[in-house]
Amino acid sequence: MIYKTIVVTGASRGIGKALVEELAANKEHHVIALSRDLKTMKNNFNALENVSSYAFDLELNVKAQITSITEKYPKIDLLINNAGYLVKSSIPNIERNLLMKSFEINYFGVVELVQALLPKMTSSISHIVNISSMGAFQGSVKFPELSAYTSAKAALCNFTELFAAENEGANTRMNCLCLGAVQTEMLSEAFPGYEAPCQPEDMAKFIADFGLKSHYFLNGKIIPISLSTP
Ligand SMILES: NC(=O)c1ccc[n+]([C@@H]2O[C@H](COP(=O)([O-])OP(=O)(O)OC[C@H]3O[C@@H](n4cnc5c(N)ncnc54)[C@H](OP(=O)(O)O)[C@@H]3O)[C@@H](O)[C@H]2O)c1
């Protein structure tokens, strides 16, 4: 018996891969794993019969892709917008195409995914969790060359508050987690040699638990989740 159908984006590696494994450990969940790299996801989740993997690109037609993927699922209970793209560049040197790519993946694609999945979120209470960054959290320490990334993530924070305001009293709640450093390929590529105080599996446990429970008490909240970033 499946009680919850859960969508996780960015499931091919890092936090998203660990999230799928964590959520699929409960056999009452069915997890829809999304990323561009279908082959890697199929290898990752081969042994998990309650995981379905689909190729999905936030830079392409999000609504058409997700509609065909989810047509056989009657409802979605939890959406975790985990996929992300980090581009590093100083402000004078940011190229427009990379700025656009950052906003396509970290913001526009997420908004379109929410628009497309909302009609499927028909449970008495469903939840959307947006994964943002500590760099997008107002008043946090800022690091150079991350403006194209964290400004898109900041838009996601603002979207979370606006979504909750527009859907006050509705059955779908949305919250946003601003993560500090987690030891993933994204972090190693951006900050070679830096050692994060948190592993993807540990963060995935926290996000999974948050996604399944916190919406009974929280809506429209932007929450810093960090050991390392003031
Ligand atoms: N690691 C950290 O320290 C840290 C800190 C703060 C916030 N975060 C946020 O946490 C989330 C997970 O980060 P991570 O460190 O696990 O990153 P990661 O290892 O780079 O994984 C990113 C995931 O996003 C997917 N993705 C990238 N471009 C995509 C696209 N165009 N369409 C669909 N999927 C796409 C990738 O899959 P494919 O390449 O297969 O498509 C991959 O599965 C991200 O939102 C990130 O910004 C991470």
Side-chain angles (χ1 to χ4, degrees):
M1 179 74 173
I2 293 166
Y3 289 107
K4 284 196 192 309
T5 305
I6 300 168
V7 175
V8 178
T9 68
S12 59
R13 66 181 201 172
I15 297 165
K17 171 179 178 284
L19 255 175
V20 171
E21 289 165 348
E22 177 67 27
L23 289 161
N26 183 338
K27 298 300 171 208
E28 291 174 356
H29 296 161
H30 188 87
V31 185
I32 300 170
L34 306 179
S35 93
R36 291 168 301 179
D37 189 347
L38 183 60
K39 193 171 163 212
T40 295
M41 289 191 295
K42 286 203 160 162
N43 284 338
N44 288 345
F45 310 132
N46 188 29
L48 302 173
E49 60 189 27
N50 57 338
V51 175
S52 303
S53 301
Y54 299 93
F56 174 77
D57 190 337
L58 282 157
E59 287 188 273
L60 300 179
N61 187 330
V62 168
K63 287 183 186 169
Q65 291 175 86
I66 199 67
T67 301
S68 71
I69 290 168
T70 56
E71 62 189 358
K72 62 173 171 288
Y73 300 96
K75 68 176 175 59
I76 305 295
D77 302 283
L78 170 61
L79 163 63
I80 304 183
N81 285 312
N82 164 77
Y85 167 69
L86 190 158
V87 55
K88 256 180 113 177
S89 174
S90 64
I91 290 167
N93 294 316
I94 297 171
E95 290 168 19
R96 186 181 170 84
N97 64 324
L98 291 180
L99 189 59
M100 290 303 292
K101 186 179 169 82
S102 176
F103 271 80
E104 288 288 352
I105 297 170
N106 295 313
Y107 182 66
F108 300 137
V110 179
V111 174
E112 288 179 315
L113 186 57
V114 169
Q115 288 173 326
L117 284 185
L118 207 48
K120 290 253 175 198
M121 302 193 79
T122 52
S123 309
S124 55
I125 304 185
S126 55
H127 195 193
I128 301 172
V129 179
N130 295 325
I131 302 301
S132 183
S133 164
M134 271 307 290
F137 190 76
Q138 190 175 8
S140 68
V141 167
K142 300 293 185 274
F143 297 95
E145 301 190 344
L146 293 182
S147 70
Y149 168 65
T150 56
S151 57
K153 290 290 194 182
L156 194 55
C157 294
N158 192 257
F159 176 68
T160 305
E161 293 182 314
L162 268 296
F163 180 93
E166 281 192 23
N167 290 281
E168 200 180 343
N171 66 336
T172 303
R173 295 176 181 167
M174 180 183 281
N175 290 291
C176 184
L177 300 178
C178 293
L179 308 189
V182 183
Q183 198 61 52
T184 65
E185 279 155 289
M186 175 188 276
L187 187 84
S188 310
E189 285 159 16
F191 300 100
Y194 178 82
E195 284 187 28
C198 179
Q199 296 302 312
E201 293 75 19
D202 299 322
M203 185 58 84
K205 275 191 200 323
F206 177 85
I207 297 170
D209 197 52
F210 182 89
L212 292 166
K213 295 178 186 159
S214 69
H215 55 310
Y216 293 100
F217 305 100
L218 303 174
N219 190 23
K221 299 292 184 285
I222 302 163
I223 305 170
I225 310 293
S226 176
L227 284 169
S228 57
T229 315

